[in-house]
Amino acid sequence: MKIEHINIMESCYTGEFGSVNSILNSFSTDMFESITFVLRPVTGGIDYLRSMRQSYLFQKGINKISNLDYEQREKILDAFTDLVATRTNDKNFVKDLEKTITELDEIKDIFKDLHHQRVNMNTKQMHQILNLSLQKLNGRIVSIRDVINSEMWNVDQDIDQLLVLNQVFYLIQETTKEALKIPVSKTSDSQVLNKLVFSLIYVEAFHRGKVTFDDFQVFHSFLSLSNYIDSQNVKDNDAVFEVLAL
């Protein structure tokens, strides 16, 4: 019965956008892990934690997340995607997302414990763990984009859909690169990280048919503009620092 239920759920993510959904179906676990890397960076930094002899504080929780089955992950992603389907990345998004986490029996205690255990690390260690998780996230996106690019040569695929999906993932990669530049002092409060997790969840919302292709294209334009503005702000700040240095 469980296998039949999974097949029924997977069949919901095909149809009109089969070109996109066939790829996202194949990377379901990767997308879940990618979102987790941003929400709880310690999940991607276990090797570093071992080197610091602190893995024992987090290993149990990380194992529980890794052992979530397909149906549990789907329930979590459904709750997350419900949150982004009718909103933009406003200042309350992460607060509302954390509230949603507290309402999910599958992860509320795990995520709470992982968050609280951070007090055992200093800011520099947390920054290092964040960077490791972001690098792993980037690796996941590279793999997804490789498949998208290879599928573009398939005459049976919808190239327009794949181009938009590829561009959105490219922009998420660029956001990840910006996140890797976050200074130690701003690790715990960054709009770039908020935009990153919102973007990943929004892709999943499209995957689940909770936003239309038109909405997804608008989101692509928004993300492109947002990244451009952020890059200009970085350049302006660099220019200020150069003047101060002179």
Side-chain angles (χ1 to χ4, degrees):
M1 290 297 293
K2 186 175 181 180
I3 293 175
E4 291 177 1
H5 181 59
I6 290 174
N7 288 337
I8 290 171
M9 293 179 74
E10 288 179 341
S11 69
C12 295
Y13 307 144
T14 55
E16 183 182 0
F17 301 107
S19 296
V20 167
N21 290 334
S22 63
I23 292 172
L24 294 179
N25 286 343
S26 300
F27 286 94
S28 174
T29 300
D30 296 82
M31 288 297 294
F32 180 81
E33 289 178 347
S34 296
I35 293 167
T36 306
F37 287 157
V38 185
L39 287 175
R40 294 296 184 271
V42 291
T43 58
I46 190 63
D47 293 329
Y48 174 78
L49 290 166
R50 287 194 187 99
S51 71
M52 300 298 295
R53 297 184 178 180
Q54 290 182 311
S55 61
Y56 69 94
L57 295 170
F58 303 94
Q59 187 71 66
K60 186 177 180 180
I62 293 172
N63 287 345
K64 286 181 179 179
I65 293 174
S66 298
N67 291 331
L68 291 171
D69 62 29
Y70 177 84
E71 291 177 338
Q72 290 173 314
R73 293 197 308 270
E74 283 295 298
K75 180 182 176 182
I76 294 163
L77 289 176
D78 267 338
F80 287 178
T81 51
D82 282 344
L83 192 61
V84 305
T86 57
R87 72 185 298 165
T88 58
N89 180 26
D90 55 59
K91 63 181 181 180
N92 293 320
F93 166 65
V94 170
K95 179 181 177 181
D96 292 341
L97 181 59
E98 289 291 342
K99 182 177 184 297
T100 298
I101 289 171
T102 66
E103 297 168 352
L104 291 166
D105 292 338
E106 290 79 5
I107 57 171
K108 63 180 183 181
D109 292 333
I110 305 171
F111 272 48
K112 180 180 179 181
D113 185 57
L114 291 176
H115 181 73
H116 286 170
Q117 289 292 357
R118 296 187 314 160
V119 299
N120 295 289
M121 292 183 291
N122 59 44
T123 305
K124 187 175 181 180
Q125 289 172 328
M126 280 304 305
H127 187 260
Q128 177 66 17
I129 287 171
L130 173 63
N131 282 353
L132 288 170
S133 285
L134 290 173
Q135 288 162 4
K136 288 186 178 182
L137 165 60
N138 187 63
R140 298 289 199 279
I141 297 172
V142 167
S143 297
I144 295 172
R145 292 192 66 209
D146 282 346
V147 173
I148 295 172
N149 288 325
S150 67
E151 286 298 310
M152 286 184 185
W153 295 95
N154 187 338
V155 295
D156 295 326
Q157 298 292 352
D158 188 314
I159 303 303
D160 289 338
Q161 291 179 20
L162 294 180
L163 281 171
V164 174
L165 183 65
N166 191 45
Q167 278 298 303
V168 168
F169 273 118
Y170 165 75
L171 292 169
I172 291 174
Q173 268 190 294
E174 291 300 297
T175 305
T176 304
K177 291 176 183 177
E178 288 301 313
L180 283 165
K181 298 175 185 177
I182 296 172
V184 175
S185 60
K186 294 185 178 180
T187 299
S188 61
D189 182 25
S190 171
Q191 290 301 313
V192 177
L193 292 175
N194 295 353
K195 180 171 68 173
L196 185 55
V197 71
F198 183 93
S199 300
L200 290 165
I201 296 174
Y202 201 87
V203 171
E204 276 300 310
F206 174 59
H207 181 204
R208 285 160 167 70
K210 295 181 181 181
V211 297
T212 66
F213 188 56
D214 286 342
D215 291 333
F216 197 58
Q217 289 177 299
V218 170
F219 175 72
H220 164 258
S221 298
F222 158 78
L223 194 55
S224 180
L225 178 61
S226 177
N227 281 10
Y228 173 76
I229 292 172
D230 288 344
S231 67
Q232 291 303 112
N233 287 339
V234 170
K235 290 178 182 178
D236 290 343
N237 289 336
D238 288 344
V240 170
F241 290 139
E242 288 176 7
V243 170
L244 290 174
L246 292 173

